[in-house]
């Protein structure tokens, strides 16, 4: 794995988590760079990242945005940065330790070995591997994934997974300016567009753990967007308008 890898981490009020996360990622036995896209966090998240930039020069990057603009636009901005800086492996990851930093290597290896073009860190491909979620949220998430998979035809169980590694060619092939989803529906749309473009998706089982610090960004608006977005993707695909 000699090619360059970048992990994109969107943040809003993750001042404590992001410091610990960067340290854990920098300690991995593969040199993964980190890009934090911060949406104007009032708790000093960006300032903490700036301190880490001095500690890990040329490996930690920061994009500061003035206000909350959403998950989807944060990742699109990160993808643009990755393409501009010649990264071959581009990863998505949360800042709150719901994703284990060590699992990033599993995702990179799956792509590096040619097993797939998109390695999806899955909570559902080998049973249910989620820790500390209330039953109501687990049922909602599992049902939402069945719903999205049934409508779109996606060949993966965890359609809303936010932990993944993409080969550079996948990002180059997707028209980023046409991505409209901005909540968790963004993950469904990204998987769908990659799959429809002919790229191979593979699920890699991970353990997902509910955050211990900070506040979840889930909202009713995010759920509503996911409900109708899958139909929009389906019909656009049928009529060749993706």
């Amino acid at each position: 794995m000699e090619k360059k890898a970048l992990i994109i981490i969107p943040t809003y009020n993750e001042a404590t988590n992001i410091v610990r996360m960067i340290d854990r990622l920098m300690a991995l036995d593969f040199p993964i760079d980190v890009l934090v896209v911060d949406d104007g966090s009032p708790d000093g998240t960006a300032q903490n990242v700036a301190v880490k930039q001095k500690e890990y020069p040329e490996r930690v990057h920061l994009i500061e945005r003035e206000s909350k603009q959403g998950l989807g636009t944060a990742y699109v901005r990160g993808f643009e940065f990755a393409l501009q800086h010649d990264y071959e492996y581009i990863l998505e990851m949360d800042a709150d330790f719901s994703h284990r930093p060590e699992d990033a290597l599993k995702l990179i290896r799956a792509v590096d070995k040619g097993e797939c073009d998109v390695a999806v860190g899955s909570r559902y491909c080998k049973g249910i591997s989620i820790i500390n979620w209330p039953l109501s949220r687990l049922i909602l998430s599992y049902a939402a994934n069945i719903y999205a998979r049934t409508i779109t035809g996606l060949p993966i169980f965890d359609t809303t997974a936010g932990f993944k590694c993409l080969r550079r060619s996948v990002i180059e092939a997707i028209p980023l300016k046409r991505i409209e989803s901005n909540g968790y529906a963004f993950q469904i749309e990204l998987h769908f567009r990659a799959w429809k473009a002919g790229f191979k998706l593979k699920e890699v089982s991970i353990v997902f753990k509910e955050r211990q610090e900070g506040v979840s960004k889930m909202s009713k608006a995010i759920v509503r967007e996911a409900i109708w977005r899958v139909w929009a993707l389906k019909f656009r695909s049928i009529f060749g308008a993706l």
Side-chain angles (χ1 to χ4, degrees):
M1 295 194 302
E2 297 179 356
K3 297 176 181 177
K4 294 173 65 177
L6 177 73
I7 292 185
I8 303 167
I9 306 178
T11 56
Y12 183 77
N13 285 349
E14 299 285 1
T16 301
N17 284 328
I18 196 60
V19 170
R20 295 168 50 232
M21 177 59 73
I22 290 173
D23 285 338
R24 288 275 295 276
L25 291 172
M26 293 296 104
L28 296 177
D29 60 5
F30 180 72
I32 302 174
D33 293 351
V34 173
L35 169 64
V36 176
V37 183
D38 185 67
D39 274 3
S41 298
D43 72 343
T45 298
Q47 290 89 329
N48 285 356
V49 175
V51 171
K52 289 299 171 182
Q53 285 184 291
K54 296 177 181 178
E55 189 173 343
Y56 305 105
E58 299 184 8
R59 290 191 61 194
V60 175
H61 308 279
L62 172 65
I63 293 176
E64 295 185 68
R65 305 197 298 180
E66 294 183 355
S67 60
K68 292 183 71 173
Q69 298 176 41
L71 184 76
T73 61
Y75 275 127
V76 167
R77 181 66 187 88
F79 293 157
E80 293 170 343
F81 178 95
L83 294 180
Q84 292 164 1
H85 293 82
D86 301 320
Y87 287 97
E88 178 62 24
Y89 304 126
I90 304 162
L91 294 88
E92 296 182 10
M93 187 177 188
D94 291 344
D96 60 11
F97 284 90
S98 55
H99 303 141
R100 297 188 301 188
E102 295 76 16
D103 285 340
L105 298 182
K106 294 167 58 176
L107 301 178
I108 295 173
R109 288 192 185 103
V111 177
D112 185 66
K113 291 179 179 179
E115 297 173 5
C116 57
D117 302 297
V118 182
V120 180
S122 177
R123 300 162 290 183
Y124 302 120
C125 68
K126 292 184 179 179
I128 299 175
S129 53
I130 298 175
I131 298 174
N132 293 339
W133 261 14
L135 182 60
S136 59
R137 185 169 180 184
L138 178 59
I139 292 173
L140 173 63
S141 175
Y142 195 77
N145 276 285
I146 293 175
Y147 172 83
R149 189 168 71 248
T150 300
I151 295 171
T152 62
L154 274 166
I156 55 175
F157 289 96
D158 200 346
T159 63
T160 59
F163 192 20
K164 63 177 66 70
C165 176
L166 305 100
R167 194 183 302 280
R168 177 188 180 89
S169 55
V170 177
I171 302 300
E172 290 176 327
I174 293 175
L176 297 178
K177 299 298 184 184
R178 298 186 66 177
I179 294 178
E180 298 179 355
S181 306
N182 207 22
Y184 288 103
F186 170 82
Q187 308 297 358
I188 301 173
E189 181 168 355
L190 186 63
H191 293 145
F192 189 73
R193 287 183 178 277
W195 177 52
K196 284 298 181 178
F199 293 102
K200 182 179 179 181
L201 281 62
K202 178 183 178 180
E203 291 182 277
V204 176
S205 182
I206 63 163
V207 174
F208 181 95
K209 186 176 182 180
E210 175 65 344
R211 65 159 62 234
Q212 294 181 319
E213 296 186 37
V215 179
S216 172
K217 310 303 188 296
M218 176 65 74
S219 68
K220 291 181 180 179
I222 288 173
V223 174
R224 286 196 297 268
E225 180 193 28
I227 290 172
W228 67 264
R229 181 67 68 184
V230 292
W231 287 105
L233 291 170
K234 179 70 172 179
F235 286 120
R236 288 181 182 180
S237 175
I238 291 173
F239 294 106
L242 268 180

